[in-house]
């Protein structure tokens, strides 16, 4: 019970990992049956939670009697939640273990998936949990943060500040290497999307062309956004055939994205163009 009290919610597999036992689910059910302030959170009885007052009591006992175990338990919990794809809990436990660098690694690893599944606010919330000086030295994470602000339609001043911080982070990288070139192209595309949300299409052709040149190395997400931006510009100029051609070209990249957010934008642009053609 002491080992499992470090997590706000607990399941059998997590209990086994924390307490280093083989019968995690059975032991949780036994604790519940004994009325030891553990309650099931779902009908399947997969997830459980201690009453918050009893959880506080257990955690104080753990800190008092086994302080050396606390850090290791949080580390185990962080690894378990990360392996299970639950980034928020994984980050929380890494921070509780005092491992800020691992927490930032976790956020960076999950950033793309969160953006592509339209969980931008979650990403910004995770970034807010860790020291900003650590984030500022992660150019890929700074670009993800900029995407989140842009796609949530945050104020231009917020986007501008984030982009300036991303530029400073990119400037610290070696001047050679494909990764830097890809990230610079992505940075330009973010600015293009931000401008499009303000009904400005200046520079779209060049931004999209820069993406096409690097389509062998850029992420499918970036190429999908580039095609969506090109479709937006085509619709802006009443070139509906071109808007639909861009979406035909982007179909393989839409299919390879992690989540549905960007492809849905593409479908909308294709639908707008088709509607204007009475199709």
């Amino acid at each position: 019970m002491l080992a499992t009290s470090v997590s706000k919610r607990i399941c059998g597999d997590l209990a086994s990992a924390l307490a280093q036992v083989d019968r995690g689910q059975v032991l949780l059910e036994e604790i519940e049956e004994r009325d030891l302030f553990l309650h099931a959170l779902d009908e399947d009885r997969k997830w459980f939670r201690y009453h918050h007052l009893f959880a506080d009591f257990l955690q104080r006992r753990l800190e008092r009697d086994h302080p050396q175990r606390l850090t290791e338990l949080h580390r185990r919990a962080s690894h378990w939640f990360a392996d299970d794809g639950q980034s928020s809990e994984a980050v929380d436990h890494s921070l509780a273990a005092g491992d800020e660098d691992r927490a930032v690694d976790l956020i960076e690893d999950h950033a793309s998936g969160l953006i592509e599944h339209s969980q931008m606010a979650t990403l910004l919330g995770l970034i807010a949990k860790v020291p900003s000086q650590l984030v500022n030295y992660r150019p890929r994470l700074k670009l993800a943060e900029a995407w989140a602000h842009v796609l949530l339609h945050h104020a231009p001043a917020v986007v501008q500040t984030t982009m300036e911080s991303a530029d400073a982070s990119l400037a610290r990288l070696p001047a050679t290497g494909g990764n830097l070139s890809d990230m610079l192209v992505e940075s330009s595309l973010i600015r293009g999307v931000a401008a499009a949300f303000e009904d400005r299409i200046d520079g779209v052709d060049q931004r999209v062309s820069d993406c096409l040149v690097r389509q062998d190395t850029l992420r499918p997400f970036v190429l999908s956004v580039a095609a969506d931006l090109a479709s937006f510009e085509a619709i802006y100029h009443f070139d509906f055939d071109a808007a639909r051609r861009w979406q035909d070209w982007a179909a393989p990249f839409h299919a390879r994205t992690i989540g549905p957010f960007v492809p849905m934008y593409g479908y909308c642009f294709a639908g707008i163009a088709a509607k204007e053609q009475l199709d």
Side-chain angles (χ1 to χ4, degrees), residues 82-233:
D83 291 342
D84 200 50
Q86 301 186 55
S87 55
S88 184
E89 288 92 341
V91 169
D92 287 341
H93 283 289
S94 277
L95 292 173
D99 196 347
E100 294 176 340
D101 286 328
R102 171 174 162 74
V104 178
D105 287 340
L106 287 168
I107 298 171
E108 188 169 15
D109 291 343
H110 288 86
S112 295
L114 291 172
I115 292 291
E116 296 188 39
H117 282 94
S118 194
Q119 296 177 344
M120 283 73 74
T122 298
L123 174 59
L124 293 177
L126 291 175
I127 291 174
K129 292 181 177 182
V130 297
S132 58
Q133 63 269 24
L134 295 181
V135 177
N136 290 339
Y137 280 85
R138 303 290 187 101
R140 193 164 294 285
L141 185 54
K142 291 301 298 184
L143 290 177
E145 182 182 8
W147 277 121
H149 283 302
V150 169
L151 296 174
L152 287 173
H153 298 262
H154 284 168
V158 174
V159 174
Q160 180 63 26
T161 299
T162 307
M163 290 305 305
E164 289 173 356
S165 180
D167 290 341
S169 186
L170 287 167
R172 299 186 187 101
L173 294 177
T176 58
N179 286 339
L180 175 59
S181 298
D182 283 354
M183 284 190 281
L184 289 172
V185 168
E186 185 173 344
S187 175
S188 174
L189 187 65
I190 295 172
R191 286 185 163 89
V193 173
F197 282 149
E198 297 177 2
D199 263 347
R200 294 186 289 106
I201 59 170
D202 47 297
V204 166
D205 286 342
Q206 186 60 55
R207 298 181 200 277
V208 172
S209 295
D210 290 342
C211 291
L212 298 185
V213 169
R214 306 195 64 81
Q215 62 181 285
D216 292 335
T217 56
L218 287 172
R219 294 181 294 136
F221 168 81
V222 176
L223 293 166
S224 290
V225 173
D228 288 352
L229 188 59
S231 288
F232 175 82
E233 183 196 34

Side-chain angles (χ1 to χ4, degrees), residues 253-266:
F253 302 109
H254 288 335
R256 288 164 50 201
T257 56
I258 300 172
F261 182 75
V262 177
M264 285 307 301
Y265 260 96

